[in-house]
Amino acid sequence: MAVFFSNLSAAKLPRFFRALSQHPEALAAIACSLLILLGGLLLHWNWIGLALLSLAVAYGVGGYDSAREGLTTLVEEKELDVDLLMIVAALGAAGLGLWRQEYHLIIDGAVLILIFCISGALESYAMQRTERSIRGLMTLTPETARQIEQGQEKTVPIPALTLGDRFLVKPGELIPTDGRVVEGESTVNQAAITGESIPVEKSLGDPVYGGTLNGTGALVIELDQPPESSLLQRVIRMVEAAQTETPPSQQFIERFERGYARVIVVVGVLLATVPPLLWQWNWETTIYRALIFLVVASPCALMAAIMPTLLSGIANGAKQGILFKSGAQLETLGQVQAIAFDKTGTLTTGTLQVIDLITAPGVSSAELLQVAAALESRSEHPIGAAIVGLAQQQSVRWSEASQVQAQIGKGISGLFEGKPVWVGKAEFVLPQVDWATKQPVAGSLDTD
């Protein structure tokens, strides 16, 4: 049933059913529960034939995946697992109900199947969330690059690049793969990779990473490692590997269930055969009690408890902006007693703000903001945006600056009301002024 639903054409379905078709296990669980409800109502109305038909379909819809997994484990690994034990217990309940005409036992077996079906649906949903995360990571890099060969630019797929190839990244574009800058200067937003919210200045010889966003300057980058070895690709492979990583609690449950299933099967066989031979019980009573034992002993709640619990934690974390690669990381986090953070954007919003203004004697804060905002309003740097934001917040007005020039990694200069002005790092600003006369150094700013 789950396979059938997964093969439906999503484009031909209404939105609700299109969403369900993407989760065939969930659709099977919903169908199974509705059939069980219908079977119960038909029994209440004493329509026995239709009730048995409805419940039989519920057994098939809800128990198909578990039966397939249980039989596969039995045939290929020569092991008993709880899925097979659950199917045997459910069929035992159904057989017992038909034998003694106590049809509510058939419903009990169907509910047992439904519990496992819901658990499988939740586990599948969690896996699809991880797959969507991987697809989101893959969209961080473009599929092609502008390769430069013999002075000519051509677009090539990223896997076609080889060591030593050079490619051009224009302003505002994503860097396709890791490499080193051989021409140009720019700032690169590396938040998607490193978590740092402030763009990093890149110049000759600096490394750059695929998936990061180039700023205002064009960069020529030389490939220094294969594209499949880039930092982002390694992250994607880690997330893919995490899909198959089993949480410690689930590993314990799986080890437990193999041994438990063997014990239950052995005890069930002994209960069905030993009492008539030793204590002269009648076979009907003995088999009846053995089947009751199988139904009661099936640990459906224990086996189905792990994934729904982990899914709840993963979903709650996603609402808070926290992405867990798998349930193993979520369980490990529960044992953490101390956390060390080393990145500004990790604990903050990553938006810079001006927290203090220190002015020279005779200069007011409004004057300082007015001059700085005049230049920084022409800049795209996040520090400049913070200065302009504070000026706007304090209702400071300024006239437009002219001849504005940005120096990558240093600062910005220009003319404000006809006077040369510099804003930036101390090593950029201080050499521009003759501090003996407090006048700009001759030739430090072209005012022609």
Side-chain angles (χ1 to χ4, degrees):
M1 180 63 71
V3 175
F4 169 76
F5 283 125
S6 65
N7 290 331
L8 288 176
S9 175
K12 298 179 181 180
L13 296 172
R15 178 179 299 179
F16 173 74
F17 293 103
R18 187 162 62 246
L20 287 178
S21 69
Q22 298 172 359
H23 302 280
E25 294 84 359
L27 191 53
I30 293 173
C32 181
S33 61
L34 293 177
L35 288 167
I36 294 172
L37 178 62
L38 177 60
L41 291 175
L42 292 173
L43 281 179
H44 179 71
W45 297 329
N46 205 31
W47 294 352
I48 305 300
L50 291 176
L52 294 180
L53 176 62
S54 176
L55 292 173
V57 176
Y59 272 65
V61 171
Y64 173 78
D65 286 336
S66 293
R68 182 186 59 186
E69 292 176 8
L71 291 174
T72 300
T73 302
L74 180 64
V75 173
E76 296 182 356
E77 303 179 21
K78 304 298 186 293
E79 290 280 356
L80 293 170
D81 65 5
V82 172
D83 288 299
L84 187 59
L85 178 61
M86 181 274 300
I87 293 296
V88 171
L91 292 177
L96 191 60
L98 289 173
W99 179 16
R100 300 179 66 91
Q101 295 186 353
E102 296 175 2
Y103 300 117
H104 66 275
L105 294 176
I106 304 178
I107 296 179
D108 293 342
V111 171
L112 190 63
I113 287 177
L114 178 61
I115 292 173
F116 271 72
C117 188
I118 292 174
S119 176
L122 292 175
E123 184 173 359
S124 174
Y125 178 71
M127 296 297 289
Q128 289 193 21
R129 285 174 62 93
T130 304
E131 291 173 359
R132 287 198 298 270
S133 301
I134 294 175
R135 290 195 295 269
L137 286 173
M138 290 179 174
T139 61
L140 291 178
T141 56
E143 298 180 354
T144 60
R146 291 190 178 89
Q147 184 181 11
I148 299 177
E149 188 174 5
Q150 297 178 351
Q152 300 295 320
E153 178 185 324
K154 63 178 181 179
T155 301
V156 299
I158 293 177
L161 295 173
T162 59
L163 294 180
D165 284 352
R166 296 187 174 188
F167 53 91
L168 173 67
V169 181
K170 295 182 178 181
E173 292 183 341
L174 289 172
I175 295 175
T177 187
D178 294 4
R180 289 192 175 274
V181 178
V182 292
E183 292 182 28
E185 292 182 342
S186 183
T187 57
V188 176
N189 186 340
Q190 300 183 156
I193 300 297
T194 65
E196 294 288 355
S197 55
I198 302 178
V200 180
E201 289 84 7
K202 300 291 183 179
S203 58
L204 184 64
D206 290 335
V208 292
Y209 306 107
T212 57
L213 182 63
N214 187 24
T216 57
L219 295 175
V220 176
I221 300 170
E222 183 177 284
L223 190 69
D224 60 357
Q225 60 179 318
E228 61 270 15
S229 299
S230 68
L231 178 61
L232 184 59
Q233 291 300 321
R234 294 199 299 271
V235 171
I236 291 174
R237 286 196 292 272
M238 286 175 59
V239 176
E240 288 176 333
Q243 289 187 95
T244 58
E245 185 177 352
T246 306
S249 59
Q250 188 71 13
Q251 292 176 5
F252 168 77
I253 290 297
E254 290 177 357
R255 291 194 302 269
F256 171 78
E257 72 168 312
R258 298 293 172 89
Y260 182 84
R262 295 193 196 99
V263 171
I264 296 303
V265 169
V266 171
V267 173
V269 171
L270 291 176
L271 287 176
T273 57
V274 172
L277 299 176
L278 294 184
W279 299 295
Q280 286 74 49
W281 289 13
N282 65 71
W283 286 99
E284 180 179 349
T285 301
T286 302
I287 295 175
Y288 175 76
R289 292 180 178 178
L291 289 175
I292 289 177
F293 170 77
L294 283 179
V295 173
V296 173
S298 181
C300 55
L302 177 61
M303 298 301 111
I306 301 300
M307 287 313 300
T309 305
L310 292 178
L311 177 60
S312 176
I314 292 172
N316 189 44
K319 293 178 182 179
Q320 306 298 325
I322 305 170
L323 176 62
F324 294 100
K325 292 193 301 182
S326 71
Q329 280 67 42
L330 184 59
E331 288 192 3
T332 302
L333 188 61
Q335 303 172 2
V336 172
Q337 297 180 351
I339 303 176
F341 295 96
D342 66 340
K343 290 182 175 63
T344 303
T346 306
L347 297 179
T348 67
T349 60
T351 303
L352 296 176
Q353 292 182 340
V354 179
I355 60 172
D356 197 8
L357 291 173
I358 302 175
T359 62
V363 179
S364 66
S365 297
E367 291 174 327
L368 177 62
L369 270 179
Q370 186 182 47
V371 175
L375 263 67
E376 295 293 3
S377 62
R378 307 286 295 275
S379 170
E380 297 179 355
H381 198 280
I383 294 179
I387 293 173
V388 173
L390 179 63
Q392 292 173 338
Q393 182 181 347
Q394 297 186 3
S395 301
V396 174
R397 297 182 179 276
W398 62 85
S399 57
E400 290 291 330
S402 60
Q403 298 188 23
V404 177
Q405 297 178 353
Q407 303 291 326
I408 300 296
K410 297 179 180 179
I412 190 169
S413 61
L415 292 179
F416 177 72
E417 296 182 350
K419 298 179 181 179
V421 179
W422 297 267
V423 178
K425 295 180 178 179
E427 56 267 27
F428 170 66
V429 173
L430 294 179
Q432 314 299 336
V433 178
D434 182 350
W435 294 99
T437 62
K438 295 185 179 180
Q439 295 297 320
V441 176
S444 62
L445 185 66
D446 184 6
T447 58
D448 294 337

